[in-house]
Amino acid sequence: MTTIEKTNPAGNPAAADTAPLLEVRDLHVEFVTREGVAQAVNGVNYSVSAGETLAVLGESGSGKSVTAQTIMGILDMPPGRIAKGEILYRGEDMLKMSTEQRRRIRGQKIAMIFQDALSSLNPVLTVGYQLGEMFRVHQGMSKKDARAKAVELMDRVRIPAAKERVDQYPHQFSGGMRQRIMIAMALALEPDLIIADEPTTALDVTVQAQVMDLLAELQREYHMGLILITHDLGVVADVADKIAVMYAGRIVETAPVHQLYKNPAHPYTKGLLQSIPRLDQKGQELYAIKGLPPNLLRIPSGCAFNPRCEMAQDVCRTDVPALHRVTDADGAELVGRGSACHFWKETLRG
Amino acid sequence: MGRYVARRLLQMIPVFLGTTFLVFMMVYSLPGDPIKAMFGDHAADPATVAHLKHQYHLDMPWWQHYPLYVWQLLHGDLGQTFGGVDVSQVLSQAFPVTIRLALLAFVIEIVVGLGLGLLAGLRRGKVADKLVLVFTLLVISVPVFVIGYICSTVFGITLAWTTPTVQDSNNLGQLLLPAFVLASLSLAYVARLTRTSLVENVRADYMRTAMAKGLPRRRIIVNHLLRNSLIPVVTFLGTDLGALMGGAIVTEGIFNVQGVGNALYRAIRASEGPTVVGIVSVLVIVYLISSLLVDLLYAVLDPRIRYA
């Protein structure tokens, strides 16, 4: 069995708070398909520090999941291909690490929670086995000890009667309980960072809130970094510290969560916010952004959002907007805010 | 589980009666008089014919004869061949040979079939995968008697690695070649089934989870991928073992293996009704039990399946 260095106790957060835990720099990921090369991720930059929650927001196909899978190193390659970029974990580029080094980071330092817990858990192995596997593989623990740890973890995520249920199979659990098991699995080795890819999408609304609360609570307790990938603006508001909005493989807006809701600086974000159903708009037609997300094989030139944008001018069709720093009316910089729109000022103030 | 097994065992009764009845009726409706045939070109003595007919109950109408036959069967009496030998004795000589041949073929099927399937499935799209696909396609398309005669000629005569036919049905070395020929078709199916199943499961979400857990590749493949992928393969293998136990008329014929298939073939040729029905009855039971075992095994392998 592999010998593994001792995991850090969830300590020394002070040092980690300043330097980002994970930093994605100018990441480009493409998929080689029969019809051509699909540009799934086109220069994504973001970072997460310990104890911080970054929400990555976007429609299907915006590249948010692909970015996450690239960070985890579980992207299918081929057809996937990392064309460019760096992914720094504690300052070290993971894309330059050996397979073995990366494997040890997976699960131990960076863990992931997936959308559909039923299909993400192995149907023919007991949950106890699947949880215990983390300890057996990464810490060389005995089968018996690992099972005891699995029960402990199941208690942690508040699965009732954990002792009796540890030997059951995934299909014997309810959807919410299964997602708790996924969370327990991600939490097992007390990682520095958890990436949750739409963790509540497959759940009932009431269960969604419970699972989200649990995740937020555990994150605080262990002082972990959390990347929360979602297309649900409602989920984000309560838990996230900052938001990155993605469109066509690019980050179009970043902002601290409340500023983004109050005052978006990109027409796409604005559209998203307008399309949330609201109680005071009862009876009116729900707003929808016109058009469809772009085909990743043929991303429009200039700003990828221009064919759907109500504010689009000629410059939007020719020049790709950089992620501009956003300032307030007095010209003072708004920390952490950026918008990839030529007309961010007009959007922000209009 | 217990109730399920009991129900399945009870279901075997009508199946058993149905199959034996069908075979019984088929054999007895064959044209020609087997008793007269025993005399060859000689004139048959009517008294002897009548005596023999009475002895083998051939003078009874079927609706009397069949219940009598089943009654005797239930008392462990499989009847006699026209040569006066107990059918049970014929079976007790032929069955061990068939079991040996079947087990040997089964082992080859598992080792080679699974091996090729794993090779192809884990290296999808590579040269090995394509070679396996072509090889199995070839084996599936060529009839067994062609493969049998080619193997017999090449390995038995040209290369003389083994005897072209089996001289001693108890000699495992001599049985190896017929076992290989017998296994060839199933082997190809097993290889393809394994490959398909692997390829399907590689893309499964739980494989992504296993990877995200930072498990070593070996563990991902053995504990997660294979454990899932082999469920349909094991089911196929189980059913196939039942079929192999039923003897192989063609393969046993080519290699002169004195197994159940050969005995059955000779009995059919001689229109020996009692022998045919006797052998087939036993084969039906073997097959029914083996398919029950497969279903139970399936529940053991896949926890999502529970019989109640």
Side-chain angles (χ1 to χ4, degrees), chain A residues 226-237:
Chain A
L226 175 66
I227 299 179
L228 182 65
I229 296 166
T230 181
H231 61 253
D232 187 346
L233 282 158
V235 169
V236 171

Side-chain angles (χ1 to χ4, degrees), chain B residues 176-193:
Chain B
L176 202 59
L177 188 60
F180 204 89
V181 172
L182 182 58
S184 60
L185 184 64
S186 307
L187 176 157
Y189 282 128
V190 168
R192 287 191 156 227
L193 191 59

Side-chain angles (χ1 to χ4, degrees), chain A residues 43 89 103 222 316:
Chain A
Y89 169 71
R103 179 180 75 73
Y222 291 99
C316 300

Side-chain angles (χ1 to χ4, degrees), chain A residues 174-302:
Chain A
S174 68
M177 289 297 148
R178 278 197 286 262
Q179 197 54 283
R180 280 166 197 260
I181 288 163
M182 282 301 289
I183 292 174
M185 204 184 288
L187 212 69
L189 302 174
E190 298 178 13
D192 298 336
L193 176 70
I194 288 189
I195 303 175
D197 190 354
E198 312 234 4
T200 58
T201 308
L203 302 175
D204 292 342
V205 181
T206 44
V207 183
Q208 273 183 8
Q210 292 170 13
V211 169
M212 226 33 249
D213 288 347
L214 176 72
L215 195 58
E217 179 196 316
L218 292 167
Q219 183 216 0
R220 269 197 304 279
E221 200 180 317
Y222 291 99
H223 202 70
M224 297 176 295
L226 175 66
I227 299 179
L228 182 65
I229 296 166
T230 181
H231 61 253
D232 187 346
L233 282 158
V235 169
V236 171
D238 305 325
V239 285
D241 298 308
K242 57 184 189 183
I243 294 189
V245 182
M246 282 188 76
Y247 186 80
R250 207 182 286 273
I251 290 183
V252 292
E253 179 165 9
T254 57
V257 64
H258 296 293
Q259 291 190 34
L260 183 114
Y261 278 84
K262 214 161 60 192
N263 207 354
H266 195 283
Y268 177 61
T269 317
K270 213 170 183 174
L272 283 182
L273 290 170
Q274 277 171 6
S275 54
I276 302 176
R278 279 172 28 190
L279 277 176
D280 58 354
Q281 285 181 335
K282 219 170 154 186
Q284 292 172 41
E285 197 177 332
L286 192 62
Y287 177 82
I289 302 173
K290 62 175 182 165
L292 293 169
N295 180 347
L296 295 177
L297 292 168
R298 280 176 297 276
I299 295 177
S301 62

Side-chain angles (χ1 to χ4, degrees), chain A residues 41-62:
Chain A
V41 178
N42 306 302
V44 162
N45 292 283
Y46 59 60
S47 68
V48 199
S49 305
E52 189 180 43
T53 299
L54 165 73
V56 180
L57 205 71
E59 305 167 281
S60 321
S62 61

Side-chain angles (χ1 to χ4, degrees), chain A residues 1-2 69 72 74 76 103 106-107 110 112 114 116 119-125 129-131 133-134 136-138 169 171 182 185, chain B residues 201-217 219-220 223-225 227-228 231 300-306:
Chain A
M1 218 56 264
T2 42
Q69 286 177 18
M72 281 309 283
I74 57 170
D76 280 331
R103 179 180 75 73
R106 280 202 288 272
I110 306 179
M112 190 157 176
F114 298 96
D116 182 0
S119 64
S120 295
L121 290 165
N122 193 322
V124 301
L125 300 173
Y129 180 94
Q130 296 186 59
L131 288 169
E133 208 175 19
M134 297 297 283
R136 289 173 64 194
V137 168
H138 289 287
Y169 293 91
H171 70 273
M182 282 301 289
M185 204 184 288
Chain B
N201 278 285
V202 157
R203 302 245 171 257
D205 286 352
Y206 67 79
M207 286 293 289
R208 206 180 45 187
T209 310
M211 226 151 32
K213 282 162 89 175
L215 307 181
R217 193 178 141 79
R219 194 184 180 90
I220 295 178
N223 295 24
H224 289 261
L225 180 59
R227 183 75 172 68
N228 278 281
I231 293 172
V300 174
L301 288 173
D302 190 341
R304 284 165 297 185
I305 291 170
R306 283 281 172 264

